[in-house]
Amino acid sequence: MTDATTVDDAAKITELGRSAPTVPAHYSDLSAVESTAWALLVRGANARKSAFHQATVATVNAAGLPEARTVVLRAANAPTRSLRFHTDIRSGKVAEFAASPSCVIHFYDHGAKIQLRVRAHAHVHHKDDVTAPIWQQMRDMSKVCYRQPIGPGEPIEDPTIAETSLLGDDEAFANFVVVKLEARAMEWLYLAAAGHRRAEISYAGGPQEPPTMRWLAP
């Protein structure tokens, strides 16, 4: 299935969840659950208005406490079972990934009534052959947050201070990080009047092995 087809299919899935009187294929077919999940993820990466365009990433900080923040989904690849988002090297989550690369990224599409939790292993890329071409293709307005001289989360007395003196392109690129998430498992929840459906998809065998899938009590 091509990315273009996948995006179109995901749009239909969302519309189906809003008004269709019949249940979709993924209501009773585990293979359809997986293909629908990836269709929604690919559309989320490509369509700004998709409910899956933004997601919540959960990590654990140095004190052993949970952390959660919203990120923008930049890419999703079903064959490699991977996701991608961008962040700042000065962000707390980069250090958290270094200490423990395991994380969860959470999506919810209100229209489709679908919740998706992806357990993943994070790979952080900084000033390498992954980040360089992505940086070159980014629009200037998307680079502004990396031009800030003060790192995200640092205490400041004046909220405008970070806007007064922006860094140059080379310095900004040094702050840019690409995070690739290797999906290890998915947990899917579909809310339906006919009865909810919940499923688990495991990729424990790696991207070359078929997934293990099972239904869960909703």
Side-chain angles (χ1 to χ4, degrees):
M1 182 166 57
T2 65
D3 281 1
T5 303
T6 303
V7 171
D8 290 342
D9 289 347
K12 294 174 184 176
I13 291 162
T14 299
E15 187 60 33
L16 181 64
R18 292 192 180 102
S19 59
T22 58
V23 294
H26 58 72
Y27 190 75
S28 57
D29 184 338
L30 283 170
S31 293
V33 167
E34 186 195 23
S35 62
T36 299
W38 283 106
L40 287 167
L41 289 168
V42 170
R43 181 171 186 254
N46 289 281
R48 295 181 64 183
K49 293 186 178 181
S50 165
F52 274 31
H53 189 57
Q54 295 181 332
T56 301
V57 171
T59 57
V60 176
N61 66 22
L65 300 174
E67 298 282 359
R69 69 278 285 172
T70 300
V71 298
V72 176
L73 183 64
R74 299 296 183 182
N77 188 299
T80 62
R81 300 166 180 169
S82 63
L83 307 172
R84 190 187 88 214
F85 67 89
H86 305 159
T87 190
D88 193 304
I89 190 67
R90 300 166 293 181
S91 169
K93 57 182 168 293
V94 174
E96 290 159 12
F97 286 139
S100 176
S102 296
C103 66
V104 171
I105 184 166
H106 171 270
F107 303 85
Y108 183 65
D109 187 323
H110 178 76
K113 302 300 182 185
I114 291 171
Q115 173 185 267
L116 183 64
R117 293 191 296 164
V118 182
R119 292 190 291 276
H121 183 96
H123 300 272
V124 175
H125 295 271
H126 180 230
K127 294 196 295 186
D128 60 13
D129 56 356
V130 172
T131 57
I134 294 173
W135 180 260
Q136 292 301 321
Q137 294 170 11
M138 286 171 60
R139 295 176 297 173
D140 287 342
M141 63 179 297
S142 299
K143 296 180 179 180
V144 170
C145 57
Y146 304 104
R147 297 187 190 278
Q148 304 298 325
I150 302 174
E154 291 187 28
I156 54 176
E157 294 182 2
D158 180 353
T160 66
I161 193 170
E163 304 167 1
T164 57
S165 178
L166 298 181
L167 301 175
D169 194 75
D170 289 344
E171 292 174 297
F173 174 63
N175 292 328
F176 179 63
V177 165
V178 170
V179 179
K180 288 191 174 183
L181 300 182
E182 175 192 343
R184 297 292 176 85
M186 290 181 172
E187 189 171 296
W188 161 280
L189 177 64
Y190 173 60
L191 305 176
H196 304 332
R197 289 289 186 269
R198 190 172 186 170
E200 181 184 62
I201 302 164
S202 173
Y203 298 122
Q208 305 305 319
E209 298 294 326
T212 300
M213 299 182 280
R214 63 181 180 177
W215 293 110
L216 302 175

